[in-house]
Amino acid sequence: VVEGKGDEEGGRRAEGVVVRLPGGDETTIGCTDVLVAAGVWSSLMAPYFGLPEDAWPITGIKSTHVIWKNESGSGRDAIRDDPAALFCAEEPNGTHLELYPRSNGDLYACGIGGSDYVEDRTRLAEGGDCETPSRVKADVSRVKAAQKSAGILSSLLAAEPEHVGACIRPCPPDGLPYMGLISTSENCYISAGHNCWGILWGPVSGKLMSELIMDGAAVTADISSFSPSRFLPKARRGGKGRKVVDVDVGEQW
């Protein structure tokens, strides 16, 4: 972050962001405001703003997902024609499948179990096994578990899924996202840590942050509980992201 002159009270003001390009070259992009919205990787960015490296604790929960595609001859048109989501309880195979039909007849499944809790920030940093989203790989053993469990539910899902992938859900210790002005800056903000609700909360989060950045205050909802400073001055984890406050909810958030 390239800093400019702040207010008379010593506030820091960003005037640009240095971006490293493929090949190692760097360029500076000028800005009026900076918004940190990088999911679990946001936890690495606190030092750029003069904060302790653990100012924004986030546990990354790396989970596998699969998609059975409605390709020609798959017989899965019924998923398109009569769609319904299905949520399964935990079962001996170690899954608690969540099945979501798509409008084209594809079926997305998560809740496969065996999630990897990424709490060591070095795994997210350059050189780590999760340094970029493209480095986050699916667990093959959990893909097989999903196929076995789903195949019991329907013969249409007994075949290997056509797509497998993985993602990292960003979970702060208290289960609440970070949304607001970064305390050491006049014009830098963060919106991260929404766990598996990032897509669902995306529209309202965008509206709230736009209000805060453009108008100086979020008015659509009270975001004071989401303060990025709530773990300061002594940043602490207080949990492993798999808890909602003191309630252990395991894999099923």
Side-chain angles (χ1 to χ4, degrees):
V1 177
V2 179
E3 293 181 12
K5 185 177 180 180
D7 61 24
E8 295 180 357
E9 297 182 359
R12 299 149 64 103
R13 186 170 185 84
E15 292 186 345
V17 175
V18 179
V19 178
R20 184 184 301 172
L21 304 173
D25 292 336
E26 294 184 346
T27 186
T28 299
I29 301 176
C31 66
T32 57
D33 302 275
V34 173
L35 173 62
V36 176
V40 67
W41 291 274
S42 301
S43 62
L44 301 176
M45 299 183 187
Y48 293 126
F49 302 95
L51 292 168
E53 66 175 12
D54 54 357
W56 305 325
I58 299 177
T59 291
I61 303 181
K62 183 164 74 77
S63 301
T64 297
H65 60 262
V66 301
I67 300 175
W68 285 275
K69 294 187 175 182
N70 185 26
E71 298 175 333
S72 177
S74 68
R76 296 177 186 141
D77 286 345
I79 296 173
R80 179 197 62 206
D81 298 337
D82 190 18
L86 179 64
F87 300 87
C88 303
E90 197 96 22
E91 45 84 36
N93 198 29
T95 75
H96 51 272
L97 290 179
E98 299 178 16
L99 303 175
Y100 300 93
R102 292 179 171 175
S103 59
N104 63 352
D106 290 355
L107 188 70
Y108 172 94
C110 59
I112 294 173
S115 294
D116 176 12
Y117 288 81
V118 181
E119 298 180 286
D120 181 353
R121 277 190 294 276
T122 63
R123 295 182 62 187
L124 302 169
E126 188 173 6
D129 65 303
C130 299
E131 67 171 318
T132 63
S134 62
R135 292 284 304 273
V136 179
K137 303 300 183 182
D139 182 338
V140 176
S141 68
R142 301 319 301 167
V143 173
K144 293 180 179 179
Q147 179 185 351
K148 180 178 179 180
S149 296
I152 295 172
L153 296 173
S154 171
S155 59
L156 295 178
L157 307 178
E160 291 185 7
E162 286 77 16
H163 171 84
V164 300
C167 62
I168 301 182
R169 307 196 305 274
C171 303
D174 56 5
L176 303 177
Y178 300 108
M179 295 178 65
L181 179 69
I182 296 172
S183 60
T184 55
S185 176
E186 297 176 16
N187 65 333
C188 297
Y189 307 82
I190 183 172
S191 179
H194 295 74
N195 194 6
C196 55
W197 307 113
I199 295 175
L200 180 65
W201 291 356
V204 69
S205 294
K207 179 174 177 58
L208 289 164
M209 295 310 298
S210 66
E211 292 172 349
L212 182 59
I213 294 171
M214 301 302 296
D215 303 326
V219 297
T220 297
D222 180 5
I223 62 173
S224 59
S225 295
F226 307 150
S227 169
S229 302
R230 64 184 183 271
F231 293 106
L232 295 172
K234 183 178 180 181
R236 59 190 186 280
R237 292 192 179 277
K240 292 192 174 182
R242 60 168 66 90
K243 292 184 177 181
V244 179
V245 190
D246 293 324
V247 180
D248 191 341
V249 291
E251 292 278 353
Q252 303 182 62
W253 187 266

